[in-house]
Amino acid sequence: MKIRVLGSAAGGGFPQWNCNAPLSRSVREKRPGFVVRTQSSIAASSDGQGWAVFNASPDIREQIAASPELQPRSDGPLRHTPIRAVVLTNADVDHIAGLLSLREREPFILYATRRVLTTLRENSIFNVLNPQVVERRELPLQGTTELEGPEGPLGLTLETFAVPGKVALFLENEADANFGTEEGDTIGIALWETGTTLPSEAQRTLFYIPGCAAMTDDLRQRLQGGGCLMFDGTVFNDTEMADTGVGSKTGGRMGHMAMSGDHGSLAALANVELGRRIYVHINNTNPVLDPASDAARTVADAGWEIGYDGMEISL
Ligand code: MLT
Ligand code: MN
């Protein structure tokens, strides 16, 4: 299975369009070690021909332009794309806005949970993807699904599972406990090539969890022995938005567990066996974006990699 990180940043990207804080300024000024990052998405393929995109970011047009394998084949028909399926892990704007760029009556299969499909249905702008052309299929909150494109199986199977999260920012209900979040608002995905024997070949499994509000025993056990984990790397410190003066929300309030701290992902996953562990969905306030920072060293010393756009993995 081939995996490509299309976008390694959280919502807003890096630099964020209106951010003048030192990290965004450093990447804008092309300081050594700082790299531009587009918004949260990965792609996977079993044969290098048909691809599934996981989360459709507002930067998808640019991401396709940077990924020859996602562009129309030079010997293909006049209208053509290797993207045969799109899978959504939540309804956050950084994960669904790119659907609007995938219009033009191009068939693919769109997979999401009932909660996310309802959000798409209730926001009529998503009708630019005519359901008669782009079939919408519901993912279970817990279960396996063999991914298909319009022409048939893609050779990829995924398992979906609910993870602690938060309803999309634009759907928050302030009056409600937990802002109206329900199960199915955020899922994690385990992905493998169809035919892989599990659990004996667990090292050929990718876990993709770009949003996770807290670690649970169930999730920890699930990840054990996986080949590669791509995990929520939004913030390093829970309070870094306030600490850097750019906002007031904590990571927790945004539905993202921090990397550091007693309840952070570094500690929570320290004893979980994984082939590789890679942070994705990295917010523009996260100090790991500066490779010379203490935070970047802490993360590397703990065996984590910082995802980057164009990163390729084979499992
Ligand atoms: C998030 O991951 O918390 C959201 O993408 C934030 C947003 O909607 O910009
Ligand atoms: Mn996000």
Side-chain angles (χ1 to χ4, degrees):
M1 176 167 64
K2 296 170 196 293
I3 299 139
R4 183 176 169 94
V5 175
L6 302 182
S8 54
F14 186 56
Q16 180 171 302
W17 72 282
N18 64 342
C19 188
N20 213 9
L23 290 169
S24 281
R25 175 164 285 282
S26 294
V27 68
R28 201 173 280 123
E29 291 174 354
K30 300 187 171 57
R31 298 234 173 111
F34 287 84
V35 291
V36 167
R37 288 175 156 84
T38 61
Q39 295 170 79
S40 176
S41 179
I42 67 167
S45 176
S46 65
D47 59 5
Q49 305 293 313
W51 287 79
V53 167
F54 295 80
N55 292 321
S57 103
D59 299 323
I60 195 163
R61 184 179 175 280
E62 194 181 332
Q63 292 166 345
I64 293 170
S67 310
E69 53 274 75
L70 299 185
Q71 297 166 11
R73 273 199 331 264
S74 55
D75 62 347
L78 285 176
R79 290 286 169 97
H80 161 257
T81 174
I83 299 172
R84 308 319 294 136
V86 174
V87 182
L88 306 176
T89 61
N90 63 21
D92 281 359
V93 69
D94 55 346
H95 287 166
I96 65 171
L99 292 173
L100 304 177
S101 298
L102 298 180
R103 61 195 186 278
E104 316 296 1
R105 297 193 64 82
E106 189 65 53
F108 59 90
I109 314 274
L110 178 56
Y111 292 90
T113 62
R114 181 174 306 180
R115 282 281 284 175
V116 173
L117 289 178
T118 301
T119 299
L120 300 182
R121 207 175 45 243
E122 289 175 350
N123 286 270
S124 55
I125 192 168
F126 291 103
N127 290 339
V128 295
L129 294 184
N130 183 338
Q132 311 233 298
V133 177
V134 176
E135 186 189 329
R136 301 179 186 189
R137 288 196 199 168
E138 184 179 326
L139 289 172
L141 281 186
Q142 172 59 60
T144 54
T145 303
E146 194 178 341
L147 281 184
E148 294 187 340
E151 302 83 14
L154 290 176
L156 296 172
T157 299
L158 56 75
E159 181 172 21
T160 42
F161 45 90
V163 297
K166 186 185 68 61
V167 69
L169 182 60
F170 66 95
L171 295 173
E172 282 187 4
N173 176 359
E174 293 279 350
D176 226 81
N178 212 10
F179 311 101
T181 301
E182 289 182 19
E183 202 178 40
D185 280 328
T186 311
I187 57 166
I189 286 171
L191 181 73
W192 58 85
E193 257 179 43
T194 307
T196 303
T197 313
L198 294 172
S200 63
E201 293 186 302
Q203 74 281 0
R204 298 184 62 202
T205 300
L206 170 77
F207 286 98
Y208 176 55
I209 310 175
C212 186
M215 188 52 57
T216 63
D217 286 341
D218 173 66
L219 183 52
R220 222 187 320 261
Q221 275 160 27
R222 192 186 281 281
L223 301 177
Q224 179 66 31
C228 180
L229 167 65
M230 291 187 174
F231 195 74
D232 186 339
T234 309
V235 293
F236 184 79
N237 293 303
D238 189 48
T239 57
E240 75 190 31
M241 299 263 287
D243 297 344
T244 53
V246 299
S248 57
K249 283 184 183 170
T250 61
R253 169 65 184 84
M254 297 188 293
H256 299 290
M257 62 190 290
M259 295 176 177
S260 67
D262 291 348
H263 302 289
S265 51
L266 290 170
L269 297 171
N271 296 321
V272 176
E273 200 183 307
L274 287 158
R276 290 175 76 171
R277 52 191 83 206
I278 301 169
Y279 281 121
V280 293
H281 194 277
I282 304 160
N283 197 49
N284 55 75
T285 53
N286 191 321
V288 301
L289 292 170
D290 176 357
S293 65
D294 290 345
R297 199 164 319 113
T298 299
V299 163
D301 287 349
W304 284 81
E305 299 170 69
I306 304 297
Y308 55 89
D309 293 19
M311 185 180 203
E312 290 182 333
I313 287 154
S314 258
L315 279 178

Short mmCIF file of all heavy atoms in Angstrom, two decimals, residues 11 92-94 169 254 256 281, ligand 1:
data_model
loop_
_atom_site.label_atom_id
_atom_site.label_comp_id
_atom_site.label_asym_id
_atom_site.label_seq_id
_atom_site.Cartn_x
_atom_site.Cartn_y
_atom_site.Cartn_z
N GLY A 11 -6.32 23.06 10.06
CA GLY A 11 -7.10 24.12 9.41
C GLY A 11 -6.31 25.42 9.42
O GLY A 11 -5.72 25.79 10.43
N ASP A 92 -15.24 18.86 9.72
CA ASP A 92 -14.53 20.14 9.87
C ASP A 92 -14.28 20.75 8.49
O ASP A 92 -14.08 20.05 7.51
CB ASP A 92 -13.19 19.92 10.57
CG ASP A 92 -13.35 19.76 12.07
OD1 ASP A 92 -14.50 19.84 12.56
OD2 ASP A 92 -12.33 19.54 12.75
N VAL A 93 -14.24 22.08 8.50
CA VAL A 93 -14.13 22.78 7.21
C VAL A 93 -12.84 22.39 6.49
O VAL A 93 -12.82 22.27 5.25
CB VAL A 93 -14.28 24.31 7.42
CG1 VAL A 93 -13.09 24.89 8.15
CG2 VAL A 93 -14.54 25.00 6.11
N ASP A 94 -11.77 22.11 7.24
CA ASP A 94 -10.52 21.72 6.57
C ASP A 94 -10.58 20.32 5.98
O ASP A 94 -9.69 19.93 5.25
CB ASP A 94 -9.30 21.86 7.52
CG ASP A 94 -9.44 21.09 8.82
OD1 ASP A 94 -10.56 20.66 9.15
OD2 ASP A 94 -8.42 20.93 9.52
N LEU A 169 -16.70 23.04 14.15
CA LEU A 169 -16.82 24.40 14.72
C LEU A 169 -18.08 25.11 14.25
O LEU A 169 -18.79 25.73 15.04
CB LEU A 169 -15.56 25.17 14.31
CG LEU A 169 -15.38 26.59 14.80
CD1 LEU A 169 -15.36 26.65 16.32
CD2 LEU A 169 -14.06 27.16 14.25
N MET A 254 -10.85 22.66 21.32
CA MET A 254 -11.01 22.48 19.87
C MET A 254 -11.18 21.01 19.49
O MET A 254 -11.30 20.68 18.31
CB MET A 254 -9.78 23.06 19.14
CG MET A 254 -9.63 24.57 19.34
SD MET A 254 -8.34 25.29 18.29
CE MET A 254 -6.87 24.56 18.97
N HIS A 256 -8.89 18.59 20.30
CA HIS A 256 -7.58 18.01 19.97
C HIS A 256 -6.74 17.84 21.23
O HIS A 256 -6.48 18.81 21.94
CB HIS A 256 -6.82 18.92 19.00
CG HIS A 256 -7.55 19.13 17.70
ND1 HIS A 256 -7.68 18.12 16.77
CD2 HIS A 256 -8.19 20.20 17.20
CE1 HIS A 256 -8.37 18.58 15.73
NE2 HIS A 256 -8.70 19.83 15.96
N HIS A 281 -1.93 17.04 10.78
CA HIS A 281 -2.90 18.04 11.26
C HIS A 281 -2.23 18.97 12.28
O HIS A 281 -2.68 19.16 13.41
CB HIS A 281 -4.14 17.36 11.85
CG HIS A 281 -5.32 18.28 12.06
ND1 HIS A 281 -5.45 19.09 13.16
CD2 HIS A 281 -6.40 18.53 11.30
CE1 HIS A 281 -6.57 19.80 13.09
NE2 HIS A 281 -7.16 19.47 11.95
C1 MLT B 1 -10.22 21.74 13.83
O1 MLT B 1 -9.55 20.79 13.45
O2 MLT B 1 -10.34 22.02 15.03
C2 MLT B 1 -10.96 22.52 12.81
O3 MLT B 1 -10.49 22.20 11.55
C3 MLT B 1 -10.89 23.97 13.08
C4 MLT B 1 -11.56 24.75 11.99
O4 MLT B 1 -12.74 24.53 11.70
O5 MLT B 1 -10.87 25.59 11.39
#
